[in-house]
Structure formats: C-alpha cells, structure tokens
Amino acid sequence: MSGSPIRVEQRGPVAVWTLDRADRMNALDRETLLALGRLAREAATSESTRAIVVTGAGGKAFCAGADLKERRGMSEGEVRAQLDLYRSELGALDRCPRPVVAAINGVALGGGLELALCCDLRVAAAHALLALPETSLGIIPGAGGTQRLPRVLGEGRAKEMILLSRRLGAAEALAWGLVNRVVPAGVDVVDDAVEWLRPIADGAPVAQSAALEAIDRALDVELDLGLTLERAAYEKTLSTEDRVEALAAFAEKRKARFRGK
Ligand code: COA
C-alpha cells in the first residue's frame, strides 16, 4: 500500500496496521483517519482476516494524537469537520466485528489513546505512556475520550486522567485496567500481540463477532434489554458449522478446526 499513511501486513489470519508517520509521532491527520476507517470497513467483510493489530511506526510513539501541525492551519469549521471524521472513522474501527488489539509501542496521547480506546484490547510496551492531555491545551478530548474512558476505567479515574492530564506508565495502566497486558522487556509489542491473539486467530469467528457485538452494547443499555441483545447475538452462532464442530471435537477429544461457517 505505497503512499498510504498506514502500512498493512498480513501475518497469517492477523492483519497488522502500522500508522506510518514516525516523523510526526504517528499523529492522526485527515488522510490517516480516512485510511483507518476504510481499512476497518474492509476488514468487516474480509474472510482472511480474523483479528487486527493496530500499532505505530518507530519505537517512540503509538500515536501522539491529533496532528497539531495540520490542526494549526485549520479554521474552526475545519476543526468541526475533523471532529466529525473522528466520529465516523474511529467509529468504524470501534464497530469492526473482528477483534482489534492496540499494540501500544510508545506514547499514546490524546487522540492516540482515544484510538486505542476504540480497540477491543490493549497491549503495552513497558515504556508506553498513556494520557489525555487535552484540557491542558484548552480543549477536551474530541475523539470519544470523555465517553469511552469512563466506560473502561469508571468515572473517578477517567476524571482524574482528563482533568489532571494525568500520564500513566504501562504498569499503572495495567493496574487501572486501561491495558490488558504489558509486554515483557525485550519482546516486540506487535510480535507479542500476534502471539497473544492466537486463541482468537484459531477460534470461531462468528462466535467472536457475536460476543463483541453483545459486550459492546452492555454498558449502553439496561440489563433486561442487554439480555435480549445477548440472546439475539447467541442466535447467530446456533446454526453455524463451527458450533457443531466444537461439540464433535469435544466428544472425539481433539482440537476443533473452525472454518468461520
Ligand atoms: N502532531 C504533529 N507533529 C507531532 C505531534 C503531533 N501531535 N507530536 C509530535 N510531533 C512531531 C514534533 O513536532 C517533532 O517534529 P519536528 O522534528 O519537525 O519538530 C517530531 O514529531 C518529534 O517530536 P518531539 O517533540 O521532538 O519528540 P519528543 O520525543 O521530545 O516528544 C511527544 C514526543 C509525543 C511527547 C511530544 O512531541 C508531544 O508532547 N507531542 C504533542 C502530543 C499531544 O499533546 N497530543 C495531544 C493532542 S490533543
């Protein structure tokens, strides 16, 4: 994909998307947002991609947030249009039915952390640094941070991060539940994430998408409706060959071979 701000590499069933603007700490400009949204929409219907890893080029930054150089030349109207783009394109990533992991290989600041919050799981290098510093810049998070962060951390810790522009290192982010895993020193975060994803890559994709769909709605609706949504999601797995294969594999004491059907 030459000329694209995102490098795409297929590692078996796992697609690795690398924000490829290391000279700007992989900051999000208009082109990068559009590319992310396009890839997410394509992945939703891809049969060959079972899971996605999103990361940044270079060893310093996952993503340093909004491209502040691009932003400086924007009118208020253009900033509004960019906020709309965050919503539509990062929204496409958030809604992607394939499991998405953020491999946080350095700083994840502002929109960079908001991008990671649109992923389903987060793996961090030991030197990663995560923060939403927007209020210290006279703005607020504009790519979903005020809504997605409390859903992950709870209200108190989200307010602490946003109002104090609090920076979390990897160990603290793990303790707070902001990342799922910190990669052992000396191990590449993308290699680690791809290996960690193996149960997903080998698993039953219809079931995984159905589980994601149900979980993603869980915090938005009251319990009774949530249970109805869970039932509807379960229904999608009932008629699959993979469900029958899993039962056969159990009876025959062998590993199931899932085909995504
Ligand atoms: N947008 C555009 N360019 C950015 C950027 C951003 N968000 N963040 C970093 N860069 C650029 C720098 O301007 C610099 O470019 P230059 O060499 O042309 O001057 C290059 O990336 C390297 O950054 P630098 O600041 O020299 O590296 P550092 O290791 O000292 O610090 C950061 C890295 C990410 C901590 C620091 O650049 C930073 O704080 N960036 C702003 C992050 C931010 O506030 N994001 C939230 C926006 S709401």
Side-chain angles (χ1 to χ4, degrees), residues 23-25 27 60 64 66-69 107 109-110 133-134 137:
D23 58 331
R24 293 206 181 182
M25 297 275 162
K60 279 182 143 182
D67 185 327
L68 298 176
K69 290 175 178 162
V107 296
L109 300 176
E134 284 88 347
L137 296 167

Side-chain angles (χ1 to χ4, degrees), residues 21-28 60-61 63-71 107 109-112 114 129 131-134 136-137 139-140 167:
R21 303 178 72 232
D23 58 331
R24 293 206 181 182
M25 297 275 162
N26 306 316
L28 298 171
K60 279 182 143 182
C63 171
D67 185 327
L68 298 176
K69 290 175 178 162
E70 179 191 58
R71 182 66 59 89
V107 296
L109 300 176
E114 291 172 294
L129 204 58
L132 291 180
E134 284 88 347
S136 68
L137 296 167
I139 52 173
I140 69 168
R167 292 181 166 214

Side-chain angles (χ1 to χ4, degrees), residues 175-189:
W176 280 28
L178 184 52
V179 301
N180 297 82
R181 173 177 169 78
V182 176
V183 174
V187 178
D188 178 78
V189 66

Side-chain angles (χ1 to χ4, degrees), residues 15-199:
V16 179
W17 300 347
T18 304
L19 307 187
D20 201 9
R21 303 178 72 232
D23 58 331
R24 293 206 181 182
M25 297 275 162
N26 306 316
L28 298 171
D29 66 347
R30 193 181 144 73
E31 289 308 314
T32 307
L33 286 169
L34 287 169
L36 260 178
R38 191 169 54 243
L39 286 170
R41 290 181 188 98
E42 285 169 9
T45 54
S46 161
E47 290 203 359
S48 51
T49 295
R50 294 277 184 97
I52 296 152
V53 172
V54 180
T55 193
K60 279 182 143 182
F62 170 71
C63 171
D67 185 327
L68 298 176
K69 290 175 178 162
E70 179 191 58
R71 182 66 59 89
R72 194 151 179 253
M74 284 184 175
S75 66
E76 284 181 21
E78 286 168 332
V79 174
R80 286 191 191 99
Q82 192 83 342
L83 294 175
D84 290 344
L85 211 56
Y86 276 122
R87 179 148 183 195
S88 60
E89 306 313 285
L90 294 186
L93 183 68
D94 194 2
R95 288 188 298 276
C96 183
R98 305 277 178 255
V100 182
V101 179
I104 305 173
N105 56 307
V107 296
L109 300 176
L113 177 51
E114 291 172 294
L115 163 61
L117 286 167
C118 289
C119 300
D120 301 299
L121 300 161
R122 285 163 286 281
V123 172
H127 67 282
L129 204 58
L130 300 87
L132 291 180
E134 284 88 347
T135 58
S136 68
L137 296 167
I139 52 173
I140 69 168
T146 65
Q147 304 305 303
R148 292 193 180 99
L149 191 65
R151 283 170 162 78
V152 175
L153 295 187
E155 182 187 328
R157 284 182 159 166
K159 284 181 177 168
E160 182 176 336
M161 278 195 79
I162 291 172
L163 295 174
L164 301 180
S165 294
R166 176 99 138 72
R167 292 181 166 214
L168 298 190
E172 203 168 15
L174 182 66
W176 280 28
L178 184 52
V179 301
N180 297 82
R181 173 177 169 78
V182 176
V183 174
V187 178
D188 178 78
V189 66
V190 173
D191 291 345
D192 181 271
V194 171
E195 187 55 33
W196 187 59
L197 277 173
R198 190 181 290 270

